[in-house]
């Protein structure tokens, strides 16, 4: 007899309970409960703040090497700073509106102070995030200890806690970078002021060690100053490759302070059109850079308008002339004045012949080739000059005066 087979009863799925209609007060009630739990734990943290500070500093010493020097060099100050920051952070959990401004001021001050001290920004941000993690963990631990059933409610305020940490990390970075920019501007301005005083010759002896450190130049040794005029973007190109130089830029002229034994290995030829470079004579010591700058200015004054390089030591007679324009003008008037009664073109021919003859080392033959005339023509013009002025070109003292007077006439009439 076959056993009757009963079909297995398939249970019907239970109908899902209908969701309760969510009232407008549901979320506020949860938030209120979460805030109550948060505030209860935060008040405990506020009472235990010294211990929290100690733990955070211990973690920083262990995990952030950059903070170890702060803890070793200024343990009390670092502790107070950390304690103050934690107090403002926890107080902001209890009274976000009332504590907000004070907390922001505290964070800004920490960012600015640590930037001035040179603590790396990454280390500072790590410290703040580590502090935020420690505060959050203590909130959870305290709630778990006193009311485990309320831990789940902290989820509703977690984003607020971490938003606070992120906001203050952003504020910290802004304060740090702004202070860094201010410090960089102050350093650059201080370097510029020190270099300007050095070049002006107004630097005090007591300031020389600071100046040497700021400009990264030795106090002792030989120095050359280079004065460069022309298009600003091409001025620094006149310095020879590999030569160490500190540039002091200006509107019309840039000055290069170069530690060098002499002026001949300092500057490459100024090939760019319009770039003029004057190289002063070498001086001894950083304190004499002001004298070197004045010599460089004289050399720059001798440069052709179209561009070129003039080393002062190669043009000392011209330097004497431009150094005292009043005396040079008086000398030119005395030596060349008698030619003023001639026709302008006639006087110019005599002056050009004199200058060319001197440039050819007193050779009438070479001067004639350069002037495209006969040798006797050159000699006749020279004799005519002697007759008009009463000077003798064979007398050394008269010849020196003529050469300087011609130089003054050429340079001072620009």
């Amino acid at each position: 007899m076959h056993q009757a087979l009963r079909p297995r009863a398939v249970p019907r799925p239970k109908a899902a309970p209908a969701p309760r209609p969510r009232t407008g007060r549901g979320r506020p009630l949860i938030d209120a409960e979460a805030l109550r739990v948060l505030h209860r734990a935060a008040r405990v943290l506020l009472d235990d703040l010294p211990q929290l500070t100690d733990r955070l500093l211990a973690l920083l010493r262990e995990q952030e090497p950059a903070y170890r020097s702060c803890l070793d060099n200024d343990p009390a100050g670092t502790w107070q700073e950390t304690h103050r920051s934690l107090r403002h952070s926890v107080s902001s959990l209890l009274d976000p509106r009332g504590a907000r401004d004070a907390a922001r001021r505290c964070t800004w001050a920490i960012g600015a102070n640590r930037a001035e001290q040179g603590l790396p920004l990454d280390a500072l941000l790590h410290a703040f995030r580590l502090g935020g993690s420690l505060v959050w963990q203590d909130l959870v631990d305290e709630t778990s200890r006193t009311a485990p059933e309320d831990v789940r409610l902290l989820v509703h305020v977690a984003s607020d806690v971490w938003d606070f940490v992120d906001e203050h990390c952003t504020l910290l970075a802004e304060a740090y970078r702004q202070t860094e920019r201010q410090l960089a501007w102050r350093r650059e301005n201080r370097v510029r002021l020190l270099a300007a005083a050095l070049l002006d010759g107004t630097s005090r002896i007591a300031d020389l060690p600071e100046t040497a450190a700021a400009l990264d130049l030795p106090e002792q040794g030989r120095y050359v100053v280079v004065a460069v005029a022309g298009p600003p973007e091409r001025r620094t190109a006149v310095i020879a490759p590999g030569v160490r130089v500190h540039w002091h830029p200006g509107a019309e002229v840039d000055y290069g302070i170069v530690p060098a034994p002499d002026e001949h290995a300092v500057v490459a030829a100024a090939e760019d059109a319009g770039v003029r470079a004057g190289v002063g004579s070498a001086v001894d010591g950083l304190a004499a850079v002001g004298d070197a700058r004045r010599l460089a200015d004289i050399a720059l004054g001798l440069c052709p308008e179209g561009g070129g390089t003039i080393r002062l030591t190669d043009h000392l007679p011209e330097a004497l002339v431009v150094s005292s324009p009043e005396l040079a003008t008086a000398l030119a008037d005395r030596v060349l004045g008698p030619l003023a009664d001639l026709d302008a073109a006639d006087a110019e021919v005599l002056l050009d012949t004199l200058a060319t003859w001197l440039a050819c080392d007193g050779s009438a033959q070479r001067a004639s080739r350069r002037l495209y005339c006969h040798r006797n023509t050159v000699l006749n013009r020279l004799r005519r000059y002697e007759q008009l002025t009463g000077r003798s070109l064979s007398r050394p003292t008269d010849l020196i005066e003529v050469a300087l007077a011609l130089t003054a006439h050429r340079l001072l009439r620009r």
Side-chain angles (χ1 to χ4, degrees):
M1 183 175 183
H2 296 286
Q3 185 176 3
L5 296 175
R6 295 183 180 182
R8 181 178 296 179
V10 178
R12 294 182 179 181
K14 295 181 180 179
R20 295 182 182 179
R22 188 172 182 178
T23 64
R25 298 179 56 194
R27 177 67 193 178
L29 285 175
I30 294 174
D31 289 345
E33 282 297 303
L35 287 176
R36 178 184 62 79
V37 173
L38 176 67
H39 290 172
R40 182 179 61 203
R43 280 191 287 270
V44 175
L45 262 64
L46 206 56
D47 292 337
D48 293 339
L49 211 55
Q51 292 79 6
L52 181 61
T53 303
D54 291 339
R55 288 165 49 216
L56 177 55
L57 290 178
L59 283 174
L60 284 175
R61 180 180 287 279
E62 177 186 343
Q63 298 184 18
E64 186 50 67
Y67 251 93
R68 290 173 192 160
S69 60
C70 299
L71 292 167
D72 293 336
N73 297 333
D74 185 19
T78 305
W79 193 94
Q80 290 294 338
E81 175 187 270
T82 307
H83 183 270
R84 184 164 55 251
S85 178
L86 288 171
R87 176 167 52 81
H88 283 295
S89 299
V90 177
S91 297
S92 295
L93 300 177
L94 294 168
D95 183 12
R97 291 185 180 179
R100 182 176 186 271
D101 290 341
R104 288 175 64 86
R105 285 195 299 270
C106 176
T107 296
W108 186 276
I110 292 173
N113 290 337
R114 289 307 185 185
E116 290 180 352
Q117 295 168 8
L119 183 74
L121 177 57
D122 288 346
L124 195 55
L125 291 172
H126 182 206
F128 259 68
R129 293 192 178 101
L130 196 59
S133 298
L134 196 60
V135 167
W136 174 250
Q137 188 59 51
D138 277 17
L139 291 171
V140 173
D141 290 346
E142 175 60 26
T143 304
S144 299
R145 185 179 66 82
T146 58
E149 69 280 2
D150 289 340
V151 171
R152 59 185 176 81
L153 292 173
L154 289 178
V155 174
H156 299 286
V157 293
S159 62
D160 296 331
V161 174
W162 288 108
D163 285 347
F164 176 89
V165 174
D166 288 343
E167 176 194 356
H168 279 256
C169 283
T170 301
L171 187 66
L172 188 78
E174 183 181 350
Y176 189 99
R177 294 189 179 107
Q178 180 174 314
T179 303
E180 262 193 332
R181 289 192 295 269
Q182 292 173 348
L183 291 172
W185 180 86
R186 288 176 195 166
R187 283 193 296 269
E188 290 170 4
N189 195 49
R190 182 60 177 163
V191 167
R192 181 171 178 79
L193 290 174
L194 291 170
L198 201 62
L199 290 164
D200 290 342
T202 58
S203 182
R204 301 181 304 169
I205 297 298
D207 292 335
L208 286 179
E210 180 189 358
T211 302
L215 275 58
D216 192 23
L217 295 171
E219 277 192 67
Q220 306 304 322
R222 301 277 284 173
Y223 277 95
V224 172
V225 170
V226 182
V228 188
E233 67 277 7
R234 299 209 297 269
R235 292 178 188 173
T236 58
V238 302
I239 296 295
V243 173
R244 181 182 174 192
V245 58
H246 175 84
W247 283 106
H248 181 74
E252 301 295 331
V253 178
D254 289 353
Y255 292 100
I257 304 173
V258 185
D262 61 66
E263 61 276 10
H264 289 89
V266 169
V267 174
E271 301 294 345
D272 289 341
V275 176
R276 299 160 51 234
V279 186
S281 303
V283 297
D284 287 319
L286 203 59
V289 164
D291 296 330
R293 193 270 303 170
R294 284 187 285 275
L295 296 174
D297 281 339
I298 293 172
L300 182 63
L302 297 174
C303 285
E305 291 297 327
T309 299
I310 293 292
R311 292 176 176 83
L312 191 66
T313 52
D314 298 334
H315 298 269
L316 292 177
E318 295 95 325
L320 285 173
V321 168
V322 298
S323 296
S324 183
E326 297 84 1
L327 291 177
T329 301
L331 177 63
D333 290 343
R334 178 185 173 191
V335 176
L336 306 177
L339 303 184
D341 296 332
L342 300 177
D343 178 76
D346 193 12
E348 193 64 32
V349 168
L350 288 182
L351 290 172
D352 189 32
T353 300
L354 271 172
T356 304
W357 178 71
L358 287 169
C360 292
D361 298 325
S363 171
Q365 186 67 41
R366 288 164 53 196
S368 67
R369 288 197 297 269
R370 190 173 294 184
L371 293 168
Y372 301 101
C373 64
H374 195 275
R375 173 179 177 276
N376 289 340
T377 302
V378 173
L379 293 174
N380 288 336
R381 291 173 183 174
L382 295 178
R383 276 194 296 270
R384 187 180 177 206
Y385 168 79
E386 290 177 323
Q387 292 167 357
L388 289 170
T389 61
R391 295 180 178 276
S392 172
L393 296 177
S394 61
R395 187 182 299 127
T397 55
D398 285 357
L399 190 61
I400 291 171
E401 288 186 352
V402 169
L404 289 174
L406 285 171
T407 299
H409 177 73
R410 173 173 57 85
L411 294 175
L412 300 180
R413 69 177 179 175
R414 286 184 185 179

